[in-house]
Amino acid sequence: MITHSTTSPTTIVMLTQTHESGREKCFPYFPLDASTNRSLTVNEHDEFGDGQGATLHLVDTIENEAARCTIREIELIPTTTTATG
């Protein structure tokens, strides 16, 4: 998890659209819209059995029309999950 690699703010760049030609290209690993859902839980049910999880909180969204991109500021809050197994 990225929290093990750094202690300061980090930039993650996604170079593809989540959907193209009506098909999903990649999973949006961030909250999409601040007005409807500002948080996203990662590994809530400990699918990997590692006890690691996180909550992603959408802080701000900026649309840059000139660059045709969306810039999202996200806060990552690490959590510990309880293994169910």
Side-chain angles (χ1 to χ4, degrees):
M1 190 175 242
I2 197 165
T3 57
H4 294 120
S5 302
T6 183
T7 57
S8 62
T10 301
T11 300
I12 300 171
V13 178
M14 186 169 134
L15 298 174
T16 187
Q17 297 177 20
T18 57
H19 291 79
E20 189 174 282
S21 300
R23 296 180 54 187
E24 184 176 68
K25 284 185 74 175
C26 68
F27 183 79
Y29 51 87
F30 45 81
L32 292 174
D33 185 4
S35 64
T36 58
N37 187 8
R38 293 187 68 93
S39 295
L40 175 70
T41 302
V42 178
N43 201 25
E44 181 176 15
H45 302 290
D46 199 18
E47 291 93 7
F48 305 108
D50 60 3
Q52 299 295 312
T55 300
L56 294 172
H57 178 72
L58 183 59
V59 176
D60 194 17
T61 302
I62 300 166
E63 296 290 334
N64 186 326
E65 294 297 325
R68 296 179 42 196
C69 71
T70 303
I71 301 167
R72 291 180 180 86
E73 182 181 347
I74 300 172
E75 179 181 27
L76 177 77
I77 304 162
T79 59
T80 303
T81 60
T82 305
T84 58

